[in-house]
Amino acid sequence: MRLFPALVAVAATLILAACTTKPKQAETPKLAFAAEKRADLSQPGNIMSFPGPRGTLRGRTIRVGNLSDLILARGEVVLTFDDGPIPGKTPSILNTLDRHGVKATFFTVGQMANAYPHLVRDVAARGHTIATHTQNHPNLASMSFESAVAEIDKGKRSVAAALGPNRSRIAPFFRFPYLASTAALRRHLAMQGTVVVDPTVDSKDYFVSTPDQVRARTIARLEAKGSGIVLFHDIHSRTASMLPQFLDDLNKRGFKVVHLVPRSRDAEALIVAAVSQ
Ligand SMILES: [Zn+2]
């Protein structure tokens, strides 16, 4: 067991390295179903009060059963953290989120959940949404369909095992590593009742840059778009260290952080049934 932390560190390094490498076969998501069409956030009908008064950063909770539920009003931000959990950085991020009273969605990697199950439980216990992101973070678009499905399912099982009796806390939300998807996999996930939550604002916190550069870049993109599902990674120190100022900036600009949760317990039950097989 003494070797285990070293193995975990190697695994984390592999993920870090993999995340900074541009996927060869990444493709623009092609949506198979009309119900999966993303809301056009540029439409005037989606514009509400923005910028709003400075006040609480906490926004509404959105119950998501399919992609059509992912409609953000202007000024609304969804925080997502991929690839963790990992000691040090994930707990720091959780403390920052707690201080602002906001909730995020964590796209957890199965091997990280195996290594740090207590951190997965901590994320859930603090009220955040636990979603999945495969077992080993491969480029699913470069694999056979069967291997890709096995990767997705193994990731769910690992996260469920980490949560133990609270396995029903896994949301049926998924994100493709490198955002590299295929139409067949999207169709498969949709038929399972799993919602693929693609980011609309990439913080690019996986690039070598200072925490302040990550913060400023992400704020600028959110202001340009008016709202967004922000992609962060809770495995990076620069992300953990810029987050307090980033949330202060959001608050000053009148943004609200909204929380994505499964639309119904039925959806959670689907996932539990899937991981129990
Ligand atoms: Zn990832």
Side-chain angles (χ1 to χ4, degrees):
M1 284 303 288
R2 287 195 174 278
L3 283 177
F4 191 52
L7 289 172
V8 165
V10 169
T13 304
L14 287 173
I15 288 179
L16 280 165
C19 283
T20 54
T21 305
K22 192 175 172 69
K24 288 177 182 153
Q25 297 186 23
E27 61 179 44
T28 303
K30 297 181 185 68
L31 303 182
F33 301 114
E36 290 189 343
K37 281 182 183 163
R38 187 171 298 284
D40 182 355
L41 299 175
S42 65
Q43 290 303 304
N46 287 322
I47 296 175
M48 295 176 71
S49 58
F50 175 76
R54 182 177 180 181
T56 175
L57 187 55
R58 186 168 188 163
R60 64 190 172 119
T61 296
I62 304 180
R63 299 198 168 277
V64 178
N66 58 55
L67 276 184
S68 63
D69 297 323
L70 272 176
I71 299 173
L72 299 182
R74 195 163 174 83
E76 288 188 329
V77 177
V78 174
L79 302 176
T80 67
F81 295 91
D82 294 9
D83 296 2
I86 199 165
K89 291 123 188 174
T90 304
S92 166
I93 286 168
L94 292 175
N95 289 339
T96 303
L97 295 172
D98 277 354
R99 279 199 297 277
H100 282 83
V102 295
K103 305 298 180 194
T105 299
F106 288 78
F107 289 92
T108 305
V109 168
Q111 62 171 279
M112 304 302 274
N114 288 342
Y116 308 113
H118 63 291
L119 291 181
V120 179
R121 290 193 289 275
D122 196 19
V123 172
R126 298 205 203 189
H128 301 287
T129 297
I130 304 267
T132 64
H133 193 45
T134 73
Q135 176 67 16
N136 297 298
H137 205 276
N139 181 341
L140 297 182
S142 67
M143 304 170 70
S144 70
F145 176 82
E146 291 74 18
S147 299
V149 169
E151 260 291 332
I152 293 168
D153 290 347
K154 192 172 181 188
K156 286 181 201 164
R157 283 196 296 275
S158 293
V159 176
L163 288 169
N166 294 317
R167 61 197 344 223
S168 64
R169 286 293 312 277
I170 301 179
F173 302 158
F174 179 76
R175 177 166 291 157
F176 284 94
Y178 316 105
L179 310 180
S181 67
T182 68
L185 286 172
R186 283 182 181 269
R187 193 159 44 242
H188 171 79
L189 290 164
M191 288 173 67
Q192 276 193 335
T194 298
V195 179
V196 176
V197 180
D198 292 316
T200 60
V201 171
D202 187 351
S203 70
K204 299 195 185 296
D205 60 350
Y206 42 88
F207 285 159
V208 175
S209 49
T210 67
D212 203 53
Q213 285 170 328
V214 174
R215 179 195 58 77
R217 177 166 57 222
T218 310
I219 288 288
R221 288 182 180 166
L222 274 171
E223 288 205 304
K225 292 179 77 78
S227 66
I229 299 171
V230 182
L231 169 61
F232 287 124
H233 297 83
D234 54 326
I235 55 172
H236 295 309
S237 295
R238 65 179 76 87
T239 307
S241 55
M242 68 89 217
L243 194 62
Q245 184 64 51
F246 174 79
L247 294 180
D248 281 343
D249 285 356
L250 285 185
N251 200 17
K252 282 178 197 157
R253 288 163 173 76
F255 284 99
K256 297 289 181 193
V257 173
V258 301
H259 184 202
L260 304 185
V261 299
R263 186 154 65 187
S264 70
R265 299 290 298 179
D266 292 347
E268 291 178 4
L270 274 175
I271 283 287
V272 172
V275 299
S276 299
Q277 288 170 1

